[in-house]
Amino acid sequence: GTTIPPPVNEFPTGSLAATAVARGLSQPLYICAAPGDTSRMFIVEKAGKIKILRGGQVLPDAFLDISDRVNSAASERGLLGLAFHPDYASNGLFLVNYTNTNGSTTVSKFRVSSDPDSAVASSESIILTVPQPYSNHNAGMLLFGPTDGYLYIGLGDGGSGGDPENRAQNPLTLLGKMLRIDIDSGSPYGIPPDNPYAGNPDTLQEIWAFGLRNPWRYSF
């Protein structure tokens, strides 16, 4: 019985337009900035490169090139996520999420070189590897919590359609979950003490939330 008001057009016809800000990229799928950096944007390319956009130009050399270890053949595989450590300005650390040559989700830590426009590809330290049963629903997003400093990792349900093996509801697999870990403690990471299942032997303690299909992108 409630009357719903008509929609309001907040953008009059002709008030929106698209403007190209970068060209010459290959399958770009994510863009972000390092904390406190107002002069550069970092663009993730699916096949395994991260490019820098500065002053309206894409720099010719990649910030990071790990194409040799990335499996990007399927439409939902590749280099899928990038997150800079909250203290990047002082520690030079950043993390990426990619599917490796075996098709497994891989979350790794890298560091920048003495050249701020170039990372050290050989500095890789693998944080987490999760086998993927199918080539789709790889998700890929990484974000640091803005208030807690922990790393949030979205993992898809493993793929196919309809989660045939019911992984998203299984407390003993990381697939189909949002994870929350502390990369500044433990080896290779620690479990935040206020994670909802910390200390619970019946549930993987990295799990922050259950029942996700394919958390490709999210935000705080």
Side-chain angles (χ1 to χ4, degrees), residues 56-119:
Q57 299 293 323
V58 176
L59 301 189
D61 295 327
F63 173 70
L64 179 70
D65 184 354
I66 54 170
S67 306
D68 60 341
R69 62 200 87 169
V70 172
N71 177 347
S72 62
S75 64
E76 296 184 25
R77 284 179 168 171
L79 178 56
L80 306 175
L82 165 66
F84 289 92
H85 192 282
D87 297 325
Y88 178 75
S90 59
N91 65 24
L93 297 178
F94 64 96
L95 289 96
V96 300
N97 184 331
Y98 66 92
T99 47
N100 67 16
T101 54
N102 293 324
S104 298
T105 287
T106 305
V107 177
S108 289
K109 181 168 56 178
F110 289 85
R111 61 178 173 83
V112 71
S113 72
S114 57
D115 176 357
D117 292 336
S118 179

Side-chain angles (χ1 to χ4, degrees), residues 129-208:
T129 302
V130 182
Q132 291 283 355
Y134 304 100
S135 66
N136 62 329
H137 293 187
N138 287 251
M141 187 75 174
L142 299 173
L143 275 182
F144 282 93
T147 58
D148 57 30
Y150 295 133
L151 182 68
Y152 290 75
I153 306 169
L155 283 176
D157 61 16
S160 188
D163 193 9
E165 286 81 39
N166 197 37
R167 292 184 171 88
Q169 298 297 336
N170 183 343
L172 297 178
T173 178
L174 297 178
L175 294 172
K177 314 296 190 302
M178 181 68 72
L179 312 183
R180 180 180 186 247
I181 63 174
D182 181 358
I183 68 159
D184 294 322
S185 71
S187 179
Y189 58 83
I191 303 298
D194 59 345
N195 267 14
Y197 303 99
N200 184 340
D202 300 320
T203 302
L204 296 179
Q205 298 180 37
E206 296 92 337
I207 295 173
W208 178 256

